[in-house]
Amino acid sequence: MSRIGRKPIQVPKGVTVTVKPVVLEFKGPKGAMKQGVPPGVSFELTGSELVAKNTANDPMASKFHGLARSLMANAVTGVTEGFKRELDIVGTGYRAEVKGKQVHFALGYSHPVVFDIPAGIDITVDKQTHVTVTGVDRQLVGQVAANIRGLRKPDPYKQKGVRYTGEVLKKKVGKTGA
């Protein structure tokens, strides 16, 4: 049995958890979300603790025990605190601006790149070169940030492009005219 799966999840005040056989619903101050339960795992809410139980004795099904507990712990964290990813846009003339439900990027192409903001995600742009992606769902926040980074990946030679804040790039040396 998983060591991570055995740890109970503390449900803070202000968060309501609805336990159903195949899905758990979380509501908190930052929002609400649903999280599916993998097969072979069930959850019990006792007081202010959420506990994962392994229902199948099959060793192949027990591998989902720790995964299910981690997914539910992330959901509790998401509805209480939320998740955030920050990106920096580096390059001359590179910038971004939010227009309604879209983000318009100028990334050195001949046309502006338009990125639609998915439901449940908030994107803010500071100083035209710092993008902050926030939301309740950890997976969705990370995927949206990765999609924005994929619009113009950092160049290993000139170091231009969209990168995560604090990301260290290994600079490649160009050709030398020797």
Side-chain angles (χ1 to χ4, degrees):
M1 185 147 72
S2 170
R3 290 183 193 172
I4 293 173
R6 280 187 266 172
K7 292 173 65 177
I9 302 167
Q10 298 296 325
V11 180
K13 291 180 180 177
V15 175
T16 59
V17 179
T18 307
V19 179
K20 295 182 180 176
V22 291
V23 71
L24 268 68
E25 297 174 358
F26 300 91
K27 290 181 184 163
K30 292 281 187 176
M33 71 176 290
K34 293 180 182 180
Q35 184 65 53
V37 179
V41 180
S42 65
F43 282 89
E44 282 183 9
L45 185 62
T46 57
S48 66
E49 287 188 343
L50 189 63
V51 180
K53 299 283 183 185
N54 206 357
T55 58
N57 290 332
D58 184 20
M60 294 305 287
S62 67
K63 63 185 172 186
F64 293 118
H65 191 216
L67 168 74
R69 190 251 178 224
S70 295
L71 290 174
M72 301 312 153
N74 287 339
V76 169
T77 304
V79 296
T80 55
E81 301 167 17
F83 292 100
K84 175 171 76 167
R85 292 294 296 209
E86 295 181 354
L87 299 126
D88 289 326
I89 303 171
V90 179
T92 305
Y94 289 16
R95 62 185 174 276
E97 63 178 321
V98 177
K99 291 184 180 176
K101 292 284 184 185
Q102 295 178 331
V103 183
H104 293 259
F105 290 96
L107 297 173
Y109 298 119
S110 62
H111 58 282
V113 179
V114 178
F115 184 82
D116 294 323
I117 301 173
I121 295 293
D122 293 324
I123 296 179
T124 58
V125 178
D126 301 330
K127 298 186 251 177
Q128 296 183 339
T129 59
H130 186 77
V131 180
T132 305
V133 181
T134 57
V136 175
D137 189 359
R138 182 177 185 173
Q139 190 274 331
L140 187 59
V141 169
Q143 187 62 53
V144 169
N147 290 346
I148 291 173
R149 184 179 183 268
L151 296 175
R152 185 75 169 209
K153 288 187 180 175
D155 180 28
Y157 296 100
K158 295 184 179 181
Q159 305 284 313
K160 297 193 317 189
V162 181
R163 64 176 87 162
Y164 296 115
T165 300
E167 180 179 6
V168 178
L169 299 175
K170 193 171 188 180
K171 185 170 175 115
K172 289 188 174 180
V173 179
K175 293 182 180 178
T176 56

